[in-house]
Amino acid sequence: MNVLVAGGAGYIGSVCVEQLCDAGHVVTVLDNLTEGHRSAVDPRARFVGVCLSDRETVLKTVRASGAEAILHFAANALVGESMTDPGKYFRNNVAAGLNLLDAAVIAGVRKFVFSSTCATYGQPERVPMTEDLPQRPINPYGESKLMFERMLSWYRQIHGLEFVAFRYFNAAGASTRFGEHHRVETHLIPNVLKVALGQATHCEIYGTDYPTHDGTCVRDYIHVADLADAHIRALEPGRSGFYNLGNGSGYSVREVIAACERVSGRPIRAIEKPRRPGDPPRLVADASKARRELGWEPRIPRIEDIVASAWAWHQAHPSGYPD
Ligand code: UDP
């Protein structure tokens, strides 16, 4: 299939492009490289440097690509940043994203696959979380993704654009070739592994007074290759709707640090800090809908294996991507 991947130079997008190429799809990557990296784009894919805010060029690129499906990964995705700069999230994730959605309709693209997030749920009423829980975001990042989900529903009803929206839990790990490199790193696992690599003296724990078993936030870490695999399945005809993607098991910040120590065999100093605004205490997926309807099954569910893949990638790429 002919597929256009917006944000294909970013962390999750790059691994998805790799799997799409492996599966024989013809891939065009559209990315403005503010967060992504040119060398994270699989050489088998065609690269076009475009910003989603450039409506005319986005439409031209979508038309020229002949895409039958669009995978949309391009977004800002930091909870903490969204609490200080909400406008960036509404501008880039909603307004600029809408240009891509409109281009899909105008160009007659058959399917739109969207990267959503468990942050759309806010503080969940219960965990593990199913897709039917109320969505009440507690940060602008989650709100921006929920707004896009709503636009998708209206566009399906009014324009007949089929979509699959995946609510990711915490993406982690790496493929052999492609991994996690943010220019400003705020995510837990890469920050903890920086200490193991000797690039930082310590990591920080944001909040130790949460109502969880050890006082630190609990998250559901899901391997990036398992996320990518769900996207390939979403391209099959007849697949549509909202799906959680997670392993169904939660790990606290302290447990993640301990796993990084075990995998790297190195001690990791952690300093306790106040809570980071916008963080819910506990987010764990019930992904049985994706298992049932997409035949999706995480292949790397264990936290040690997830961390080990990240560790291998960071050891091979201590400075991340060259650009
Ligand atoms: N966290 C932390 N120290 C860090 C980075 C993150 O304690 O250096 C915590 C953060 O508060 C959250 C969890 O680890 O509870 C996962 O954060 P991350 O930024 O990796 O992903 P998010 O859940 O925000 O998508």
Side-chain angles (χ1 to χ4, degrees):
M1 188 186 277
N2 206 331
V3 185
L4 183 133
V5 182
Y11 170 42
I12 305 172
S14 65
V15 176
C16 197
V17 168
E18 180 183 32
Q19 288 194 15
L20 285 165
C21 294
D22 287 347
H25 296 290
V26 177
V27 181
T28 301
V29 167
L30 182 158
D31 202 300
N32 67 357
L33 301 180
T34 54
E35 297 293 336
H37 306 269
R38 182 65 185 88
S39 52
V41 178
D42 193 301
R44 294 171 290 180
R46 197 167 70 90
F47 176 79
V48 187
V50 178
C51 185
L52 290 185
S53 60
D54 181 350
R55 190 173 171 89
E56 289 313 311
T57 314
V58 168
L59 177 57
K60 267 191 215 139
T61 309
V62 170
R63 275 213 171 107
S65 73
E68 296 152 89
I70 290 180
L71 273 55
H72 177 28
F73 296 92
N76 295 113
L78 302 179
V79 168
E81 182 187 55
S82 80
M83 293 293 282
T84 56
D85 190 359
K88 178 175 178 179
Y89 283 72
F90 296 120
R91 219 165 25 247
N92 293 343
N93 295 1
V94 184
L98 182 57
N99 291 334
L100 185 65
L101 193 55
D102 281 336
V105 172
I106 295 165
V109 172
R110 284 210 292 272
K111 182 170 273 177
F112 198 95
V113 183
F114 176 60
S115 301
S116 190
T117 169
C118 61
T120 58
Y121 295 109
Q123 305 248 18
E125 279 170 7
R126 59 184 153 73
V127 284
M129 297 148 67
T130 46
E131 288 83 356
D132 55 351
L133 281 180
Q135 288 175 292
R136 293 188 285 251
I138 60 166
N139 52 62
Y141 165 58
E143 186 74 51
S144 71
K145 289 287 185 174
L146 179 57
M147 289 167 85
F148 206 92
E149 284 195 4
R150 297 256 160 89
M151 297 196 300
L152 286 171
S153 293
W154 287 112
Y155 271 50
R156 175 165 64 192
Q157 189 181 315
I158 294 164
H159 295 303
L161 178 65
E162 271 311 322
F163 73 84
V164 173
F166 287 121
R167 295 179 187 149
Y168 305 155
F169 282 62
N170 284 60
S175 75
T176 313
R177 296 162 66 202
F178 303 110
E180 186 167 14
H181 173 196
H182 299 107
R183 291 182 181 84
V184 178
E185 191 53 80
T186 64
H187 293 97
L188 180 62
I189 293 176
N191 273 342
V192 174
L193 291 178
K194 276 198 171 102
V195 185
L197 277 171
Q199 295 177 351
T201 54
H202 64 273
C203 63
E204 297 181 336
I205 300 176
Y206 300 144
T208 53
D209 59 348
Y210 282 100
T212 59
H213 64 282
D214 66 9
T216 67
C217 280
V218 168
R219 295 286 180 272
D220 182 336
Y221 295 87
I222 175 78
H223 199 283
V224 63
D226 285 326
L227 291 181
D229 175 57
H231 291 71
I232 311 280
R233 291 166 189 275
L235 294 178
E236 288 169 27
R239 302 214 150 146
S240 103
F242 298 98
Y243 294 94
N244 288 340
L245 293 179
N247 277 308
S249 33
Y251 293 92
S252 70
V253 173
R254 290 191 204 281
E255 287 167 340
V256 169
I257 296 171
C260 291
E261 285 188 316
R262 283 197 300 280
V263 166
S264 66
R266 297 177 190 176
I268 292 165
R269 195 158 84 91
I271 293 180
E272 297 182 1
K273 292 281 187 182
R275 292 181 179 196
R276 186 176 70 177
D279 277 341
R282 200 157 174 255
L283 297 171
V284 179
D286 179 333
S288 47
K289 186 179 178 210
R291 290 170 192 261
R292 201 171 53 242
E293 295 185 9
L294 306 180
W296 177 76
E297 188 70 43
R299 282 179 282 203
I300 313 170
R302 292 179 61 243
I303 189 75
E304 276 80 7
D305 296 333
I306 294 171
V307 168
S309 71
W311 177 235
W313 192 83
H314 287 292
Q315 281 187 300
H317 306 84
S319 313
Y321 292 109
D323 44 354

Short mmCIF file of all heavy atoms in Angstrom, two decimals, residues 77-80 141 169-170 186-189 191-192 203-207 210 217-219 221 253 276 279-280 283, ligand 1:
data_model
loop_
_atom_site.label_atom_id
_atom_site.label_comp_id
_atom_site.label_asym_id
_atom_site.label_seq_id
_atom_site.Cartn_x
_atom_site.Cartn_y
_atom_site.Cartn_z
N ALA A 77 4.40 16.35 22.40
CA ALA A 77 3.86 15.28 23.25
C ALA A 77 4.39 15.32 24.68
O ALA A 77 4.57 14.28 25.30
CB ALA A 77 4.17 13.92 22.61
N LEU A 78 4.65 16.52 25.18
CA LEU A 78 5.18 16.60 26.55
C LEU A 78 4.15 17.21 27.50
O LEU A 78 3.76 18.38 27.35
CB LEU A 78 6.46 17.44 26.57
CG LEU A 78 7.60 16.95 25.67
CD1 LEU A 78 8.80 17.88 25.77
CD2 LEU A 78 7.99 15.52 26.05
N VAL A 79 3.73 16.41 28.45
CA VAL A 79 2.74 16.84 29.44
C VAL A 79 3.22 18.12 30.15
O VAL A 79 2.50 19.11 30.23
CB VAL A 79 2.49 15.72 30.47
CG1 VAL A 79 1.70 16.24 31.66
CG2 VAL A 79 1.78 14.55 29.82
N GLY A 80 4.45 18.08 30.64
CA GLY A 80 4.98 19.20 31.43
C GLY A 80 5.02 20.49 30.63
O GLY A 80 4.57 21.54 31.08
N TYR A 141 -1.90 18.92 26.68
CA TYR A 141 -1.48 17.87 25.74
C TYR A 141 -2.63 16.89 25.51
O TYR A 141 -3.04 16.64 24.37
CB TYR A 141 -0.22 17.16 26.26
CG TYR A 141 0.06 15.86 25.54
CD1 TYR A 141 0.25 15.85 24.16
CD2 TYR A 141 0.13 14.65 26.23
CE1 TYR A 141 0.49 14.67 23.49
CE2 TYR A 141 0.38 13.46 25.57
CZ TYR A 141 0.55 13.47 24.20
OH TYR A 141 0.78 12.29 23.54
N PHE A 169 -0.09 4.25 25.68
CA PHE A 169 0.35 4.47 27.04
C PHE A 169 1.82 4.94 26.93
O PHE A 169 2.09 5.78 26.09
CB PHE A 169 0.03 3.25 27.90
CG PHE A 169 -1.46 3.27 28.27
CD1 PHE A 169 -2.43 3.19 27.26
CD2 PHE A 169 -1.89 3.48 29.56
CE1 PHE A 169 -3.80 3.32 27.55
CE2 PHE A 169 -3.25 3.61 29.87
CZ PHE A 169 -4.20 3.53 28.86
N ASN A 170 2.77 4.45 27.69
CA ASN A 170 4.12 5.06 27.62
C ASN A 170 5.03 4.32 26.66
O ASN A 170 5.53 3.23 26.98
CB ASN A 170 4.73 5.13 29.02
CG ASN A 170 4.12 6.24 29.84
OD1 ASN A 170 2.91 6.25 30.08
ND2 ASN A 170 4.92 7.21 30.24
N THR A 186 12.97 14.69 28.30
CA THR A 186 12.22 14.79 29.55
C THR A 186 11.68 13.44 29.98
O THR A 186 11.12 13.32 31.06
CB THR A 186 11.01 15.75 29.39
OG1 THR A 186 10.11 15.18 28.45
CG2 THR A 186 11.44 17.13 28.93
N HIS A 187 11.79 12.42 29.14
CA HIS A 187 11.16 11.13 29.44
C HIS A 187 11.97 10.32 30.43
O HIS A 187 13.19 10.43 30.50
CB HIS A 187 10.94 10.33 28.15
CG HIS A 187 9.93 10.96 27.25
ND1 HIS A 187 10.28 11.78 26.20
CD2 HIS A 187 8.58 10.95 27.29
CE1 HIS A 187 9.18 12.22 25.61
NE2 HIS A 187 8.13 11.74 26.25
N LEU A 188 11.25 9.50 31.17
CA LEU A 188 11.88 8.81 32.29
C LEU A 188 13.01 7.87 31.86
O LEU A 188 14.14 8.00 32.34
CB LEU A 188 10.79 8.04 33.08
CG LEU A 188 11.31 7.27 34.29
CD1 LEU A 188 11.92 8.20 35.32
CD2 LEU A 188 10.20 6.42 34.90
N ILE A 189 12.71 6.91 31.00
CA ILE A 189 13.70 5.86 30.72
C ILE A 189 14.99 6.43 30.10
O ILE A 189 16.09 6.16 30.61
CB ILE A 189 13.08 4.70 29.91
CG1 ILE A 189 12.05 3.98 30.79
CG2 ILE A 189 14.15 3.73 29.40
CD1 ILE A 189 11.27 2.87 30.12
N ASN A 191 16.21 9.38 30.40
CA ASN A 191 16.91 10.17 31.42
C ASN A 191 17.61 9.28 32.45
O ASN A 191 18.71 9.58 32.90
CB ASN A 191 15.93 11.12 32.13
CG ASN A 191 15.80 12.43 31.37
OD1 ASN A 191 16.64 12.77 30.55
ND2 ASN A 191 14.74 13.16 31.64
N VAL A 192 16.97 8.18 32.82
CA VAL A 192 17.58 7.27 33.78
C VAL A 192 18.80 6.58 33.14
O VAL A 192 19.86 6.44 33.76
CB VAL A 192 16.54 6.23 34.27
CG1 VAL A 192 17.20 5.18 35.16
CG2 VAL A 192 15.41 6.94 35.02
N CYS A 203 19.38 11.01 38.22
CA CYS A 203 18.07 11.30 37.62
C CYS A 203 17.15 11.84 38.71
O CYS A 203 17.54 11.87 39.89
CB CYS A 203 17.48 10.06 36.97
SG CYS A 203 17.13 8.72 38.11
N GLU A 204 15.98 12.29 38.30
CA GLU A 204 15.06 12.90 39.25
C GLU A 204 13.74 12.12 39.29
O GLU A 204 13.27 11.64 38.26
CB GLU A 204 14.78 14.35 38.86
CG GLU A 204 16.05 15.19 38.91
CD GLU A 204 15.83 16.65 38.56
OE1 GLU A 204 14.85 16.97 37.86
OE2 GLU A 204 16.66 17.48 38.98
N ILE A 205 13.18 12.04 40.49
CA ILE A 205 11.87 11.41 40.66
C ILE A 205 10.87 12.52 40.94
O ILE A 205 11.00 13.23 41.95
CB ILE A 205 11.88 10.40 41.84
CG1 ILE A 205 12.92 9.30 41.59
CG2 ILE A 205 10.49 9.83 42.07
CD1 ILE A 205 13.06 8.32 42.74
N TYR A 206 9.90 12.68 40.05
CA TYR A 206 8.94 13.77 40.19
C TYR A 206 7.75 13.34 41.05
O TYR A 206 6.75 12.86 40.53
CB TYR A 206 8.45 14.25 38.83
CG TYR A 206 9.53 14.75 37.93
CD1 TYR A 206 9.48 14.53 36.56
CD2 TYR A 206 10.62 15.46 38.43
CE1 TYR A 206 10.47 15.01 35.72
CE2 TYR A 206 11.62 15.93 37.60
CZ TYR A 206 11.54 15.70 36.25
OH TYR A 206 12.53 16.16 35.41
N GLY A 207 7.89 13.53 42.34
CA GLY A 207 6.78 13.25 43.25
C GLY A 207 6.91 11.89 43.92
O GLY A 207 7.09 10.88 43.25
N TYR A 210 2.47 10.33 45.84
CA TYR A 210 1.27 9.91 45.10
C TYR A 210 0.61 8.73 45.81
O TYR A 210 1.28 7.95 46.50
CB TYR A 210 1.65 9.49 43.67
CG TYR A 210 1.90 10.66 42.74
CD1 TYR A 210 3.21 11.07 42.46
CD2 TYR A 210 0.85 11.35 42.15
CE1 TYR A 210 3.44 12.14 41.60
CE2 TYR A 210 1.09 12.43 41.30
CZ TYR A 210 2.37 12.81 41.02
OH TYR A 210 2.60 13.87 40.18
N CYS A 217 4.72 7.80 40.59
CA CYS A 217 3.71 7.59 39.54
C CYS A 217 3.88 6.22 38.87
O CYS A 217 5.00 5.79 38.58
CB CYS A 217 3.84 8.65 38.46
SG CYS A 217 3.10 10.20 38.88
N VAL A 218 2.75 5.61 38.57
CA VAL A 218 2.75 4.31 37.89
C VAL A 218 2.31 4.50 36.44
O VAL A 218 1.33 5.19 36.17
CB VAL A 218 1.81 3.33 38.63
CG1 VAL A 218 1.57 2.08 37.79
CG2 VAL A 218 2.38 2.98 40.00
N ARG A 219 3.10 3.92 35.52
CA ARG A 219 2.79 4.00 34.09
C ARG A 219 2.89 2.61 33.45
O ARG A 219 3.57 1.73 33.97
CB ARG A 219 3.78 4.94 33.37
CG ARG A 219 3.68 6.40 33.81
CD ARG A 219 2.43 7.07 33.26
NE ARG A 219 2.33 8.45 33.65
CZ ARG A 219 1.75 8.87 34.78
NH1 ARG A 219 1.24 8.01 35.64
NH2 ARG A 219 1.67 10.16 35.04
N TYR A 221 4.39 0.85 30.41
CA TYR A 221 5.41 1.05 29.37
C TYR A 221 5.22 0.00 28.28
O TYR A 221 5.17 -1.19 28.56
CB TYR A 221 6.81 0.99 29.99
CG TYR A 221 7.01 2.15 30.95
CD1 TYR A 221 6.63 2.04 32.29
CD2 TYR A 221 7.50 3.37 30.50
CE1 TYR A 221 6.75 3.12 33.18
CE2 TYR A 221 7.61 4.46 31.35
CZ TYR A 221 7.24 4.33 32.69
OH TYR A 221 7.35 5.40 33.54
N VAL A 253 7.84 4.81 39.08
CA VAL A 253 9.11 5.45 38.69
C VAL A 253 10.26 4.71 39.37
O VAL A 253 11.28 4.40 38.74
CB VAL A 253 9.10 6.95 39.06
CG1 VAL A 253 10.47 7.57 38.83
CG2 VAL A 253 8.03 7.69 38.25
N ARG A 276 5.49 16.82 39.17
CA ARG A 276 5.46 17.59 37.92
C ARG A 276 3.99 17.89 37.61
O ARG A 276 3.17 16.97 37.57
CB ARG A 276 6.08 16.72 36.81
CG ARG A 276 6.26 17.42 35.49
CD ARG A 276 6.98 16.53 34.49
NE ARG A 276 6.16 15.40 34.04
CZ ARG A 276 6.54 14.52 33.13
NH1 ARG A 276 7.74 14.61 32.59
NH2 ARG A 276 5.75 13.54 32.78
N ASP A 279 0.57 15.48 35.95
CA ASP A 279 0.76 14.02 35.97
C ASP A 279 -0.31 13.31 36.79
O ASP A 279 -0.38 13.52 38.01
CB ASP A 279 2.13 13.67 36.60
CG ASP A 279 3.27 13.76 35.61
OD1 ASP A 279 3.01 13.73 34.39
OD2 ASP A 279 4.42 13.83 36.07
N PRO A 280 -1.12 12.43 36.19
CA PRO A 280 -2.01 11.59 36.99
C PRO A 280 -1.20 10.50 37.72
O PRO A 280 -0.14 10.11 37.22
CB PRO A 280 -2.95 10.96 35.98
CG PRO A 280 -2.58 11.51 34.64
CD PRO A 280 -1.25 12.18 34.77
N LEU A 283 -1.63 5.24 35.44
CA LEU A 283 -2.23 5.00 34.13
C LEU A 283 -1.81 3.61 33.64
O LEU A 283 -0.63 3.36 33.39
CB LEU A 283 -1.74 6.06 33.12
CG LEU A 283 -2.12 7.52 33.40
CD1 LEU A 283 -1.39 8.47 32.45
CD2 LEU A 283 -3.63 7.73 33.28
N1 UDP B 1 9.39 11.14 35.53
C1 UDP B 1 10.31 11.27 36.56
N2 UDP B 1 11.57 11.74 36.26
C2 UDP B 1 11.95 12.06 34.98
C3 UDP B 1 11.00 11.92 33.94
C4 UDP B 1 9.73 11.47 34.26
O1 UDP B 1 10.01 10.99 37.73
O2 UDP B 1 13.10 12.47 34.76
C5 UDP B 1 8.05 10.60 35.82
C6 UDP B 1 6.91 11.48 35.36
O3 UDP B 1 6.53 12.38 36.35
C7 UDP B 1 5.83 10.43 35.06
C8 UDP B 1 6.63 9.19 34.63
O4 UDP B 1 7.96 9.39 35.12
O5 UDP B 1 5.13 10.10 36.23
C9 UDP B 1 6.69 9.02 33.12
O6 UDP B 1 7.04 10.27 32.57
P1 UDP B 1 7.43 10.45 31.05
O7 UDP B 1 7.79 11.90 30.89
O8 UDP B 1 8.45 9.45 30.66
O9 UDP B 1 6.11 10.09 30.22
P2 UDP B 1 4.59 10.65 30.35
O10 UDP B 1 3.89 9.74 31.33
O11 UDP B 1 4.64 12.07 30.78
O12 UDP B 1 4.07 10.49 28.97
#
